[in-house]
Amino acid sequence: MTEPAHSQPRFTVETAKVLAEVAHNRQKDKLKRPYREHVLAVGDALVDFDDDIQIAGYLHDIAEDTPMTRQALLDMGVSERAADIIERVTKRLHENPDDYQAGIRYIAEDHDATLVKIADNAHNSLPERVKALAEKWPDKPPVTRYDEARPVLYAAVPVEETRKILARINPWLLQELDDMLDEADDTDYENLAYDNPDAVV
């Protein structure tokens, strides 16, 4: 049975991947590397989540770095939910684009956008990338804003979801996550009553 001519094919994760490659094709990052490598890595890191989140991962910078608008994305078949995530993670659309930490707090109000931002942050924080940036600009202090953003982002979603993303895109951050959890855990293990029948196991 053929589809009616007016019905649009569904916008898939694969379509988002192709669109990301094409949209960012000529762009370079600060290290003069192809920018598409970053957006593809962020999308790939979200493979454990649903299609809308993966699509938003691949397209997370499309409204920031290309002329693509929300309406254009919707016209292509991107869902409202995926478009909402993309808008929320787009810095230039924030109330005060220059206030990075305020932007992070705004993103952290939304579960789906937070997952995309965790993947974005983790890829930007890969050890070899941080090292290369420090070597290229030795007089600039190391980038700390990504470090400062992580506790806010991690607190906004279930820890297992954060773990899945980090394991795929930047396993080096898993130890930092565990350290943060240890610091936040104020249980008095020395005086814990293991024989208490009412204790929650």
Side-chain angles (χ1 to χ4, degrees), residues 92-156:
R92 69 177 184 80
L93 300 178
H94 291 173
E95 206 169 292
N96 184 356
D98 296 325
D99 188 339
Y100 182 78
Q101 292 305 326
I104 292 296
R105 288 191 298 274
Y106 172 66
I107 290 167
E109 289 169 12
D110 181 86
H111 169 268
D112 301 342
T114 303
L115 295 178
V116 171
K117 196 63 187 175
I118 286 171
D120 177 41
N121 179 300
H123 190 254
N124 282 327
S125 305
L126 281 166
E128 59 92 19
R129 179 180 165 76
V130 172
K131 184 170 176 277
L133 285 168
E135 285 168 4
K136 188 163 182 178
W137 289 284
D139 27 334
K140 280 193 177 180
V143 178
T144 55
R145 67 181 193 166
Y146 296 134
D147 300 351
E148 290 163 0
R150 284 197 290 274
V152 179
L153 296 169
Y154 292 173

Side-chain angles (χ1 to χ4, degrees), residues 10-22 40 43-44 47 50-56 58-59 76 78:
R10 201 167 63 85
F11 191 95
T12 65
V13 171
E14 205 47 51
T15 317
K17 201 169 182 174
V18 172
L19 177 57
E21 285 199 69
V22 173
L40 294 179
D44 289 348
V47 73
D50 65 46
D51 285 5
D52 283 340
I53 290 173
Q54 288 179 65
I55 286 168
Y58 287 118
L59 302 181
M76 292 170 91
V78 173

Side-chain angles (χ1 to χ4, degrees), residues 60 73 75 80 89 108 113 134 136-137 163 165 185 189:
H60 76 276
L73 290 171
D75 289 347
E80 290 272 356
V89 298
K136 188 163 182 178
W137 289 284
R163 254 189 236 289
I165 296 169
D185 182 1
Y189 288 100

